[in-house]
Amino acid sequence: MSEENINAEGEELNQTPQPGEGESSEAAEAATPPEPAEANGESEAEQPIDPLSEAMNTITSLEDQLARSNADNYNLRQEYNGFVRRSKQDGANRYEEGIAHVIESLLAVLDDIALARQHGDLEGPAGQIAEKLEQTLKVNFNVDRFGAEGDEFDPQVHEALMHQTSPDVTIEKVNVLIQPGYKVGEKLLRAARVGVISPA
């Protein structure tokens, strides 16, 4: 055998794969982990958004905002209505208090008129003026004078300054009117000052 043939056979032997070399290469390729998939966020972002679902979410949000706005408006109206009612009531109370204050300042004058009438001194132009004053107070401000002899005694509207007993009476009543009482409507300005007689 010539030297050239020997060299050629040697090269063929060197190029022949050794046992295990191909298998280890294939095992290495199999052991290599696959490339990771794209991030979840990127894959989800690529998914199309359902227009109907988005519209329903928007409607739900707007309905919630509308309900809250209606509730706020309702509360505001209630607060305003309450304020108006309180203002009207306070105004009426102030008006009545003002009238009562003015009438109380005139009680001394009204007492003099009543006393002068009892003694027959209320005649002529002075009597006419006194009557006009009393009538004006009654008509415009609902001022009433009350208290008379023979009235049944009522501690709510009478102030007893004197007391006596008698077998001739069956109920406790007024036998002497010392000073008349006054009311403005149902409001008591002054109790009638009286002498009381009770059954013995």
Side-chain angles (χ1 to χ4, degrees), residues 3-4 12-13 20 37 42 51 59-60 65 68 102 104 117 119 122 125 132 134 137 140 142 147 152 161 178 185 194:
E3 185 179 350
E4 293 178 356
E12 290 176 358
L13 291 174
E42 295 179 359
I59 291 173
T60 301
Q65 293 178 23
R68 292 175 181 273
V102 172
E104 285 175 353
R117 183 178 288 114
H119 290 83
L122 205 60
K132 183 176 289 187
E134 291 174 329
L137 293 176
N140 294 334
N142 201 18
E152 184 175 352
L161 301 183
I178 300 171
V194 299

Side-chain angles (χ1 to χ4, degrees), residues 21 41 45 69 91 121 127 131 133 135 154 159:
E21 286 184 358
S69 178
D121 296 334
E131 290 180 2
L133 173 62
Q135 188 67 17
D154 182 357
E159 180 183 357

